[in-house]
Amino acid sequence: MTGLTLDRVTKVFDDDGGDVVAVDDVTIDIEDGEFLVLVGPSGCGKSTTLRMIAGLESVTRGEIRLGDEVVNRKPPKDRDIAMVFQSYALYPHMTVRGNMRFGLEESTDMSDDEIERKVTETAEMLGISDLLDRKPGELSGGQRQRVALGRAIVRDPEVFLMDEPLSNLDAKLRAEMRTELLRLQEDLGVTTVYVTHDQTEAMTMGDRIAILNGGKLMQVATPLEAYHRPANRFVAGFLGEPSMNFFEMEVRGDRLVGASERTAEPSGGSSPEDGDEFVYPVSAETREAIGDASAVTLGVRPEDVELVRTADGPHDFETVVDVVEPTGNENNVYLAFSSESERTFVATISGMRSVEAGQPAIARIPESAIHLFDADTGEALRNRSLDDLEETEPRV
Ligand code: ADP
Ligand code: MG
Protein backbone atom coordinates (compact mmCIF):
# COMPACT_ATOMS: atom_id res chain seq x y z
CA MET A 1 0.00 0.00 0.00
CA THR A 2 1.19 3.47 -0.83
CA GLY A 3 0.57 7.13 -0.18
CA LEU A 4 0.43 9.71 -2.92
CA THR A 5 2.02 13.16 -3.02
CA LEU A 6 1.29 16.14 -5.22
CA ASP A 7 4.22 18.49 -4.84
CA ARG A 8 3.64 21.98 -6.31
CA VAL A 9 1.84 20.48 -9.27
CA THR A 10 0.93 22.85 -12.08
CA LYS A 11 -0.78 22.22 -15.41
CA VAL A 12 -0.79 24.82 -18.15
CA PHE A 13 -2.77 24.06 -21.32
CA ASP A 14 -1.84 25.75 -24.54
CA ASP A 15 -5.25 26.74 -25.82
CA ASP A 16 -4.99 28.27 -29.31
CA GLY A 17 -1.88 30.23 -28.37
CA GLY A 18 -3.29 31.45 -25.03
CA ASP A 19 -2.18 29.75 -21.83
CA VAL A 20 -4.80 28.25 -19.54
CA VAL A 21 -3.54 27.51 -16.03
CA ALA A 22 -5.85 24.64 -15.09
CA VAL A 23 -3.99 23.57 -11.93
CA ASP A 24 -1.86 26.10 -10.09
CA ASP A 25 0.89 25.04 -7.68
CA VAL A 26 -1.13 22.41 -5.81
CA THR A 27 0.49 20.50 -2.93
CA ILE A 28 -1.35 17.67 -1.17
CA ASP A 29 -0.02 14.72 0.83
CA ILE A 30 -2.46 11.84 0.63
CA GLU A 31 -1.86 9.18 3.23
CA ASP A 32 -1.75 5.47 2.65
CA GLY A 33 -5.32 4.18 2.74
CA GLU A 34 -6.85 7.65 2.93
CA PHE A 35 -10.07 8.64 1.16
CA LEU A 36 -9.37 12.15 -0.13
CA VAL A 37 -12.11 14.11 -1.88
CA LEU A 38 -11.15 16.79 -4.40
CA VAL A 39 -14.05 19.21 -4.55
CA GLY A 40 -14.81 22.54 -6.20
CA PRO A 41 -17.01 24.20 -8.81
CA SER A 42 -17.02 23.14 -12.44
CA GLY A 43 -13.81 24.07 -14.26
CA CYS A 44 -11.66 24.42 -11.11
CA GLY A 45 -9.17 21.75 -12.24
CA LYS A 46 -10.39 18.58 -10.51
CA SER A 47 -10.38 16.29 -13.55
CA THR A 48 -7.07 17.68 -14.78
CA THR A 49 -5.49 16.92 -11.40
CA LEU A 50 -6.84 13.37 -11.45
CA ARG A 51 -5.73 12.83 -15.04
CA MET A 52 -2.21 13.94 -14.16
CA ILE A 53 -2.13 11.44 -11.30
CA ALA A 54 -3.30 8.73 -13.68
CA GLY A 55 -0.72 9.74 -16.29
CA LEU A 56 -3.33 10.63 -18.91
CA GLU A 57 -2.13 14.25 -18.87
CA SER A 58 1.45 15.52 -18.62
CA VAL A 59 2.59 17.61 -15.64
CA THR A 60 3.82 21.11 -16.59
CA ARG A 61 5.66 21.76 -13.30
CA GLY A 62 6.00 19.97 -9.98
CA GLU A 63 6.12 16.33 -8.98
CA ILE A 64 3.70 13.48 -8.47
CA ARG A 65 5.03 10.74 -6.21
CA LEU A 66 3.59 7.30 -5.52
CA GLY A 67 5.25 6.33 -2.27
CA ASP A 68 8.79 7.65 -2.77
CA GLU A 69 8.83 7.24 -6.50
CA VAL A 70 8.37 10.18 -8.87
CA VAL A 71 5.93 8.99 -11.53
CA ASN A 72 5.69 12.12 -13.72
CA ARG A 73 7.11 10.28 -16.74
CA LYS A 74 5.71 6.84 -16.13
CA PRO A 75 3.08 5.69 -18.63
CA PRO A 76 -0.40 5.11 -17.17
CA LYS A 77 -0.24 1.33 -17.47
CA ASP A 78 2.85 1.15 -15.26
CA ARG A 79 1.39 3.26 -12.43
CA ASP A 80 -0.64 0.64 -10.60
CA ILE A 81 -3.60 3.00 -10.47
CA ALA A 82 -7.20 2.23 -11.43
CA MET A 83 -9.59 4.95 -12.53
CA VAL A 84 -13.40 5.04 -12.48
CA PHE A 85 -15.08 7.64 -14.69
CA GLN A 86 -18.51 9.24 -14.58
CA SER A 87 -19.24 7.75 -18.00
CA TYR A 88 -18.24 4.23 -16.75
CA ALA A 89 -16.37 3.68 -20.06
CA LEU A 90 -17.44 0.01 -20.33
CA TYR A 91 -16.89 -1.86 -23.60
CA PRO A 92 -20.43 -2.25 -25.00
CA HIS A 93 -19.70 -5.39 -27.05
CA MET A 94 -18.19 -7.29 -24.10
CA THR A 95 -20.07 -9.00 -21.31
CA VAL A 96 -19.66 -7.87 -17.71
CA ARG A 97 -17.22 -10.75 -17.22
CA GLY A 98 -15.29 -9.67 -20.33
CA ASN A 99 -15.14 -6.07 -19.12
CA MET A 100 -13.85 -7.13 -15.74
CA ARG A 101 -11.33 -9.61 -17.18
CA PHE A 102 -10.00 -7.27 -19.85
CA GLY A 103 -7.66 -5.14 -17.72
CA LEU A 104 -6.16 -8.20 -16.04
CA GLU A 105 -5.58 -9.99 -19.33
CA GLU A 106 -3.86 -6.91 -20.73
CA SER A 107 -1.69 -5.87 -17.83
CA THR A 108 -0.82 -8.99 -15.83
CA ASP A 109 0.48 -12.45 -16.45
CA MET A 110 -2.14 -14.11 -14.25
CA SER A 111 -3.39 -17.48 -15.39
CA ASP A 112 -6.86 -17.83 -16.80
CA ASP A 113 -8.03 -19.58 -13.63
CA GLU A 114 -6.62 -16.88 -11.39
CA ILE A 115 -8.34 -14.18 -13.42
CA GLU A 116 -11.63 -16.06 -13.28
CA ARG A 117 -11.32 -16.47 -9.51
CA LYS A 118 -10.62 -12.73 -9.04
CA VAL A 119 -13.57 -11.75 -11.20
CA THR A 120 -15.95 -14.14 -9.43
CA GLU A 121 -14.79 -12.95 -6.02
CA THR A 122 -15.14 -9.26 -6.88
CA ALA A 123 -18.53 -9.77 -8.53
CA GLU A 124 -19.70 -11.45 -5.34
CA MET A 125 -18.43 -8.58 -3.20
CA LEU A 126 -20.37 -6.11 -5.36
CA GLY A 127 -23.52 -8.24 -5.65
CA ILE A 128 -23.33 -8.53 -9.44
CA SER A 129 -22.60 -12.27 -9.79
CA ASP A 130 -25.83 -12.88 -11.69
CA LEU A 131 -25.00 -10.16 -14.23
CA LEU A 132 -21.66 -11.58 -15.41
CA ASP A 133 -22.96 -12.80 -18.77
CA ARG A 134 -24.91 -9.65 -19.64
CA LYS A 135 -23.71 -6.79 -21.78
CA PRO A 136 -23.61 -3.18 -20.45
CA GLY A 137 -26.66 -2.27 -22.60
CA GLU A 138 -28.74 -4.73 -20.57
CA LEU A 139 -27.91 -3.13 -17.22
CA SER A 140 -29.37 -0.26 -15.18
CA GLY A 141 -27.26 2.79 -14.36
CA GLY A 142 -26.55 1.53 -10.87
CA GLN A 143 -25.50 -1.90 -12.15
CA ARG A 144 -23.18 -0.35 -14.74
CA GLN A 145 -21.63 1.74 -11.99
CA ARG A 146 -20.95 -1.41 -10.00
CA VAL A 147 -19.34 -3.09 -13.00
CA ALA A 148 -17.09 -0.05 -13.52
CA LEU A 149 -16.08 -0.28 -9.88
CA GLY A 150 -15.55 -4.02 -10.16
CA ARG A 151 -13.25 -3.53 -13.10
CA ALA A 152 -11.13 -1.17 -10.98
CA ILE A 153 -11.19 -3.45 -7.92
CA VAL A 154 -10.11 -6.68 -9.68
CA ARG A 155 -6.86 -5.01 -10.62
CA ASP A 156 -5.93 -4.66 -6.96
CA PRO A 157 -4.28 -1.28 -7.53
CA GLU A 158 -2.25 0.88 -5.12
CA VAL A 159 -4.55 3.84 -5.79
CA PHE A 160 -8.15 4.35 -6.92
CA LEU A 161 -9.01 7.52 -8.82
CA MET A 162 -12.69 8.32 -9.23
CA ASP A 163 -14.05 11.20 -11.27
CA GLU A 164 -17.67 12.00 -10.33
CA PRO A 165 -18.52 8.29 -10.44
CA LEU A 166 -22.03 8.70 -9.00
CA SER A 167 -23.21 11.73 -10.98
CA ASN A 168 -25.31 9.73 -13.43
CA LEU A 169 -27.36 8.04 -10.73
CA ASP A 170 -30.64 9.27 -9.27
CA ALA A 171 -30.56 10.85 -5.80
CA LYS A 172 -31.61 7.80 -3.79
CA LEU A 173 -29.25 5.39 -5.52
CA ARG A 174 -26.46 7.93 -5.25
CA ALA A 175 -26.90 8.10 -1.48
CA GLU A 176 -26.86 4.27 -1.27
CA MET A 177 -23.77 3.96 -3.45
CA ARG A 178 -22.00 6.60 -1.34
CA THR A 179 -22.30 4.41 1.72
CA GLU A 180 -21.42 1.27 -0.21
CA LEU A 181 -18.35 2.82 -1.78
CA LEU A 182 -17.10 4.03 1.57
CA ARG A 183 -17.53 0.62 3.15
CA LEU A 184 -15.75 -1.00 0.22
CA GLN A 185 -12.85 1.43 0.34
CA GLU A 186 -12.50 0.89 4.06
CA ASP A 187 -12.42 -2.89 3.62
CA LEU A 188 -9.91 -2.73 0.79
CA GLY A 189 -7.82 0.01 2.42
CA VAL A 190 -6.77 1.39 -0.96
CA THR A 191 -5.67 5.04 -1.14
CA THR A 192 -8.44 6.85 -3.01
CA VAL A 193 -8.79 10.24 -4.66
CA TYR A 194 -12.43 11.00 -5.36
CA VAL A 195 -13.52 13.98 -7.46
CA THR A 196 -16.90 15.66 -7.10
CA HIS A 197 -18.48 19.10 -7.48
CA ASP A 198 -21.08 18.14 -4.88
CA GLN A 199 -20.28 19.50 -1.43
CA THR A 200 -22.60 17.02 0.28
CA GLU A 201 -20.70 14.13 -1.26
CA ALA A 202 -17.43 15.73 -0.16
CA MET A 203 -18.63 16.32 3.40
CA THR A 204 -20.05 12.83 3.87
CA MET A 205 -17.35 10.77 2.15
CA GLY A 206 -13.95 12.34 2.69
CA ASP A 207 -11.46 11.47 5.43
CA ARG A 208 -10.20 14.85 4.30
CA ILE A 209 -11.34 17.18 1.56
CA ALA A 210 -9.22 19.36 -0.71
CA ILE A 211 -11.13 22.39 -1.97
CA LEU A 212 -10.04 23.84 -5.32
CA ASN A 213 -11.02 27.14 -6.88
CA GLY A 214 -9.69 28.40 -10.21
CA GLY A 215 -6.90 25.81 -10.17
CA LYS A 216 -5.72 26.90 -6.72
CA LEU A 217 -5.90 24.85 -3.57
CA MET A 218 -8.02 26.72 -1.00
CA GLN A 219 -7.75 24.32 1.95
CA VAL A 220 -7.09 20.68 2.84
CA ALA A 221 -8.81 19.58 6.04
CA THR A 222 -11.26 17.12 7.53
CA PRO A 223 -14.82 17.94 6.45
CA LEU A 224 -15.74 19.33 9.87
CA GLU A 225 -12.59 21.44 10.13
CA ALA A 226 -13.26 22.96 6.72
CA TYR A 227 -16.89 23.57 7.64
CA HIS A 228 -16.28 25.16 11.05
CA ARG A 229 -12.84 26.63 10.49
CA PRO A 230 -12.73 27.65 6.81
CA ALA A 231 -9.40 29.15 5.73
CA ASN A 232 -11.13 31.77 3.63
CA ARG A 233 -14.43 33.11 2.41
CA PHE A 234 -14.51 30.85 -0.62
CA VAL A 235 -14.44 27.67 1.47
CA ALA A 236 -16.94 29.17 3.92
CA GLY A 237 -19.41 29.89 1.11
CA PHE A 238 -18.81 26.66 -0.80
CA LEU A 239 -19.58 24.26 2.05
CA GLY A 240 -23.04 24.28 3.59
CA GLU A 241 -26.57 24.43 2.22
CA PRO A 242 -28.10 27.01 2.49
CA SER A 243 -24.81 28.91 2.24
CA MET A 244 -23.28 30.96 5.01
CA ASN A 245 -24.74 34.49 5.26
CA PHE A 246 -22.24 37.22 4.41
CA PHE A 247 -22.40 40.92 5.34
CA GLU A 248 -19.90 43.50 4.08
CA MET A 249 -18.95 45.63 7.08
CA GLU A 250 -16.80 48.67 7.78
CA VAL A 251 -14.68 48.52 10.92
CA ARG A 252 -15.43 51.55 13.15
CA GLY A 253 -13.72 51.20 16.50
CA ASP A 254 -15.30 48.26 18.26
CA ARG A 255 -18.34 48.22 15.98
CA LEU A 256 -18.83 46.68 12.58
CA VAL A 257 -21.19 48.70 10.44
CA GLY A 258 -22.89 47.62 7.24
CA ALA A 259 -25.90 48.59 5.21
CA SER A 260 -29.00 46.85 6.48
CA GLU A 261 -31.10 47.43 3.43
CA ARG A 262 -31.25 48.61 -0.09
CA THR A 263 -34.35 50.81 -0.22
CA ALA A 264 -36.18 51.65 -3.45
CA GLU A 265 -35.04 55.27 -3.29
CA PRO A 266 -31.41 55.46 -2.27
CA SER A 267 -30.83 58.41 0.00
CA GLY A 268 -27.54 59.27 -1.71
CA GLY A 269 -24.03 59.19 -0.32
CA SER A 270 -21.87 56.12 0.10
CA SER A 271 -22.19 55.67 3.83
CA PRO A 272 -25.30 54.05 5.25
CA GLU A 273 -27.61 56.60 6.94
CA ASP A 274 -28.69 56.34 10.55
CA GLY A 275 -31.40 53.74 10.79
CA ASP A 276 -30.23 52.03 7.59
CA GLU A 277 -27.32 50.50 9.39
CA PHE A 278 -26.64 47.01 10.54
CA VAL A 279 -24.43 47.65 13.58
CA TYR A 280 -22.62 44.70 15.12
CA PRO A 281 -20.53 45.50 18.24
CA VAL A 282 -17.59 43.18 18.90
CA SER A 283 -15.63 42.20 21.99
CA ALA A 284 -12.03 43.24 22.59
CA GLU A 285 -10.91 39.73 21.65
CA THR A 286 -12.69 39.84 18.28
CA ARG A 287 -11.45 43.38 17.71
CA GLU A 288 -7.91 42.14 18.17
CA ALA A 289 -8.40 39.39 15.60
CA ILE A 290 -9.48 42.02 13.04
CA GLY A 291 -6.14 43.80 13.40
CA ASP A 292 -5.78 46.74 11.05
CA ALA A 293 -8.28 45.60 8.42
CA SER A 294 -10.64 48.50 7.66
CA ALA A 295 -13.33 46.36 6.09
CA VAL A 296 -14.39 42.80 6.82
CA THR A 297 -16.95 40.28 5.66
CA LEU A 298 -19.03 39.01 8.54
CA GLY A 299 -20.20 35.43 8.02
CA VAL A 300 -22.74 33.44 9.97
CA ARG A 301 -24.17 30.01 9.20
CA PRO A 302 -27.98 29.77 8.90
CA GLU A 303 -28.15 27.24 11.75
CA ASP A 304 -26.36 29.70 14.05
CA VAL A 305 -28.95 32.46 13.57
CA GLU A 306 -31.51 32.04 16.36
CA LEU A 307 -35.06 33.35 16.39
CA VAL A 308 -35.82 34.61 19.91
CA ARG A 309 -38.87 36.12 21.65
CA THR A 310 -37.43 39.34 22.99
CA ALA A 311 -34.48 41.49 22.01
CA ASP A 312 -32.24 41.77 25.03
CA GLY A 313 -28.70 42.24 23.75
CA PRO A 314 -26.56 44.02 21.18
CA HIS A 315 -26.60 41.00 18.86
CA ASP A 316 -30.40 40.75 18.63
CA PHE A 317 -31.94 42.36 15.57
CA GLU A 318 -35.50 43.21 14.66
CA THR A 319 -36.42 41.62 11.35
CA VAL A 320 -39.39 40.68 9.22
CA VAL A 321 -39.89 37.20 7.79
CA ASP A 322 -39.70 37.44 4.00
CA VAL A 323 -40.00 33.83 2.82
CA VAL A 324 -40.19 30.44 4.55
CA GLU A 325 -38.84 27.34 2.79
CA PRO A 326 -39.89 24.17 4.60
CA THR A 327 -37.66 21.13 3.97
CA GLY A 328 -39.59 18.94 6.40
CA ASN A 329 -37.15 18.53 9.27
CA GLU A 330 -36.15 22.18 9.02
CA ASN A 331 -37.49 25.55 7.94
CA ASN A 332 -35.20 27.92 6.07
CA VAL A 333 -36.46 31.33 7.15
CA TYR A 334 -35.40 34.29 5.00
CA LEU A 335 -35.30 37.48 7.05
CA ALA A 336 -35.06 41.18 6.13
CA PHE A 337 -34.18 44.04 8.47
CA SER A 338 -37.38 45.82 7.37
CA SER A 339 -40.38 45.09 5.18
CA GLU A 340 -39.02 47.42 2.45
CA SER A 341 -35.61 45.81 2.37
CA GLU A 342 -34.62 43.55 -0.49
CA ARG A 343 -31.57 42.26 1.32
CA THR A 344 -32.28 39.02 3.13
CA PHE A 345 -30.36 36.53 5.22
CA VAL A 346 -31.38 33.06 6.21
CA ALA A 347 -31.93 31.28 9.50
CA THR A 348 -32.46 27.52 9.69
CA ILE A 349 -34.81 26.46 12.47
CA SER A 350 -36.64 23.29 13.42
CA GLY A 351 -39.38 22.15 11.05
CA MET A 352 -41.66 21.82 14.07
CA ARG A 353 -41.55 25.59 14.68
CA SER A 354 -44.06 27.44 12.57
CA VAL A 355 -43.18 30.86 11.17
CA GLU A 356 -45.04 32.82 8.55
CA ALA A 357 -44.03 35.34 5.92
CA GLY A 358 -44.74 38.93 7.00
CA GLN A 359 -44.36 38.10 10.69
CA PRO A 360 -41.91 40.17 12.76
CA ALA A 361 -39.02 38.17 14.25
CA ILE A 362 -35.98 38.83 16.38
CA ALA A 363 -32.79 37.34 14.97
CA ARG A 364 -29.95 36.62 17.34
CA ILE A 365 -26.48 36.39 15.80
CA PRO A 366 -24.28 35.22 18.69
CA GLU A 367 -20.75 36.56 18.61
CA SER A 368 -19.36 33.09 19.39
CA ALA A 369 -20.76 31.90 16.05
CA ILE A 370 -19.51 34.58 13.69
CA HIS A 371 -16.72 34.30 11.14
CA LEU A 372 -14.78 37.32 9.93
CA PHE A 373 -12.89 37.50 6.65
CA ASP A 374 -10.55 40.19 5.36
CA ALA A 375 -12.66 42.10 2.80
CA ASP A 376 -9.73 42.35 0.36
CA THR A 377 -8.06 38.96 0.53
CA GLY A 378 -10.93 36.80 1.79
CA GLU A 379 -8.60 35.21 4.37
CA ALA A 380 -10.27 34.18 7.62
CA LEU A 381 -9.43 36.56 10.48
CA ARG A 382 -11.55 34.74 13.00
CA ASN A 383 -13.64 31.58 12.93
CA ARG A 384 -16.55 30.51 15.07
CA SER A 385 -15.80 29.26 18.56
CA LEU A 386 -16.03 25.52 19.05
CA ASP A 387 -16.31 25.75 22.82
CA ASP A 388 -19.87 24.48 22.77
CA LEU A 389 -18.95 21.41 20.73
CA GLU A 390 -20.48 18.39 22.41
CA GLU A 391 -18.86 14.99 22.55
CA THR A 392 -21.15 12.02 22.57
CA GLU A 393 -19.60 9.57 24.97
CA PRO A 394 -20.20 5.94 24.17
CA ARG A 395 -21.90 4.09 27.02
CA VAL A 396 -19.77 1.49 28.73
P1 ADP B 1 -13.20 20.29 -13.48
O1 ADP B 1 -12.97 18.83 -13.62
O2 ADP B 1 -12.92 20.81 -12.10
O3 ADP B 1 -14.56 20.71 -13.95
P2 ADP B 1 -11.13 20.53 -15.52
O4 ADP B 1 -9.94 19.96 -14.85
O5 ADP B 1 -11.84 19.67 -16.49
O6 ADP B 1 -12.15 21.08 -14.41
O7 ADP B 1 -10.70 21.87 -16.27
C1 ADP B 1 -9.96 22.89 -15.64
C2 ADP B 1 -9.68 24.01 -16.64
O8 ADP B 1 -8.81 23.57 -17.66
C3 ADP B 1 -10.93 24.53 -17.35
O9 ADP B 1 -10.80 25.92 -17.53
C4 ADP B 1 -10.88 23.81 -18.67
O10 ADP B 1 -11.52 24.56 -19.66
C5 ADP B 1 -9.38 23.73 -18.93
N1 ADP B 1 -9.02 22.55 -19.76
C6 ADP B 1 -9.23 21.26 -19.44
N2 ADP B 1 -8.74 20.43 -20.39
C7 ADP B 1 -8.21 21.25 -21.35
C8 ADP B 1 -7.54 21.01 -22.60
N3 ADP B 1 -7.31 19.78 -23.05
N4 ADP B 1 -7.13 22.10 -23.31
C9 ADP B 1 -7.34 23.36 -22.86
N5 ADP B 1 -7.97 23.64 -21.68
C10 ADP B 1 -8.39 22.61 -20.94
MG1 MG C 1 -14.32 17.32 -14.27
Side-chain angles (χ1 to χ4, degrees):
M1 296 288 121
T2 322
L4 173 67
T5 305
L6 308 187
D7 190 355
R8 310 203 60 172
V9 169
T10 296
K11 176 68 186 184
V12 182
F13 285 110
D14 180 10
D15 194 29
D16 277 336
D19 281 350
V20 178
V21 183
V23 178
D24 194 355
D25 203 21
V26 167
T27 296
I28 313 174
D29 260 311
I30 304 153
E31 283 167 37
D32 184 13
E34 183 171 9
F35 195 107
L36 182 102
V37 177
L38 261 184
V39 66
S42 179
C44 72
K46 305 180 295 291
S47 294
T48 304
T49 304
L50 215 60
R51 291 170 57 80
M52 285 191 285
I53 300 172
L56 301 171
E57 206 74 77
S58 66
V59 178
T60 310
R61 278 189 297 279
E63 264 181 15
I64 296 178
R65 293 190 291 270
L66 253 177
D68 297 327
E69 187 194 6
V70 179
V71 295
N72 285 38
R73 303 198 166 277
K74 234 180 173 185
K77 66 176 173 47
D78 297 337
R79 289 196 190 192
D80 208 358
I81 281 174
M83 190 150 168
V84 181
F85 300 91
Q86 176 181 352
S87 62
Y88 314 145
L90 300 175
Y91 297 107
H93 60 282
M94 288 185 195
T95 60
V96 168
R97 176 180 278 109
N99 268 283
M100 287 174 71
R101 288 182 61 103
F102 186 72
L104 292 181
E105 286 168 356
E106 291 292 298
S107 64
T108 65
D109 44 15
M110 278 186 193
S111 73
D112 215 48
D113 281 354
E114 269 176 291
I115 292 179
E116 195 52 36
R117 193 178 47 79
K118 268 253 159 219
V119 168
T120 309
E121 217 177 78
T122 308
E124 232 159 73
M125 173 167 40
L126 288 165
I128 52 172
S129 302
D130 51 342
L131 306 177
L132 281 170
D133 295 318
R134 291 204 206 164
K135 297 213 170 128
E138 302 164 308
L139 304 176
S140 71
Q143 291 169 334
R144 271 180 233 174
Q145 182 53 58
R146 257 167 244 246
V147 176
L149 270 176
R151 194 176 47 176
I153 292 170
V154 283
R155 295 190 40 203
D156 218 353
E158 297 276 14
V159 177
F160 284 133
L161 302 178
M162 307 193 182
D163 195 349
E164 315 234 9
L166 308 183
S167 300
N168 288 349
L169 306 178
D170 65 56
K172 197 161 164 45
L173 192 54
R174 199 157 65 220
E176 281 171 24
M177 285 299 287
R178 263 196 328 240
T179 322
E180 194 172 317
L181 239 175
L182 275 184
R183 201 174 297 137
L184 213 66
Q185 193 269 347
E186 209 156 283
D187 289 349
L188 299 169
V190 176
T191 311
T192 302
V193 184
Y194 183 101
V195 160
T196 178
H197 65 274
D198 177 350
Q199 55 106 8
T200 310
E201 232 168 74
M203 288 296 293
T204 52
M205 296 183 81
D207 289 328
R208 286 188 306 161
I209 58 182
I211 302 114
L212 284 178
N213 183 32
K216 291 196 165 68
L217 185 63
M218 298 280 105
Q219 187 169 9
V220 189
T222 65
L224 289 182
E225 263 165 32
Y227 187 83
H228 293 303
R229 312 203 67 79
N232 51 51
R233 183 185 161 148
F234 178 83
V235 173
F238 186 76
L239 300 177
E241 175 61 35
S243 283
M244 186 183 282
N245 297 293
F246 293 116
F247 301 90
E248 300 310 325
M249 309 291 269
E250 277 173 35
V251 182
R252 294 195 202 151
D254 57 3
R255 301 185 321 159
L256 308 180
V257 182
S260 64
E261 52 195 281
R262 210 160 280 126
T263 45
E265 286 171 72
S267 47
S270 57
S271 252
E273 299 233 323
D274 260 9
D276 289 353
E277 288 178 337
F278 167 40
V279 179
Y280 196 94
V282 293
S283 66
E285 197 183 332
T286 303
R287 183 64 194 83
E288 198 174 326
I290 293 172
D292 50 13
S294 59
V296 294
T297 305
L298 186 158
V300 65
R301 294 230 176 254
E303 65 270 29
D304 286 327
V305 179
E306 298 163 30
L307 295 188
V308 298
R309 278 184 205 291
T310 49
D312 57 9
H315 299 133
D316 293 347
F317 302 92
E318 285 179 17
T319 67
V320 179
V321 175
D322 185 34
V323 174
V324 181
E325 275 177 7
T327 63
N329 63 331
E330 287 171 338
N331 285 317
N332 295 326
V333 183
Y334 290 82
L335 303 161
F337 286 109
S338 83
S339 51
E340 291 90 55
S341 176
E342 288 169 22
R343 199 234 184 279
T344 61
F345 62 103
V346 57
T348 301
I349 61 168
S350 160
M352 299 298 279
R353 261 181 91 182
S354 79
V355 188
E356 277 175 43
Q359 184 183 323
I362 294 164
R364 176 169 295 168
I365 303 177
E367 189 172 350
S368 59
I370 64 166
H371 299 256
L372 296 172
F373 306 95
D374 187 299
D376 292 328
T377 64
E379 294 299 308
L381 300 169
R382 172 208 199 267
N383 280 316
R384 81 169 341 281
S385 145
L386 293 179
D387 291 348
D388 45 3
L389 199 69
E390 283 176 44
E391 298 269 340
T392 306
E393 299 289 346
R395 290 210 197 162
V396 279

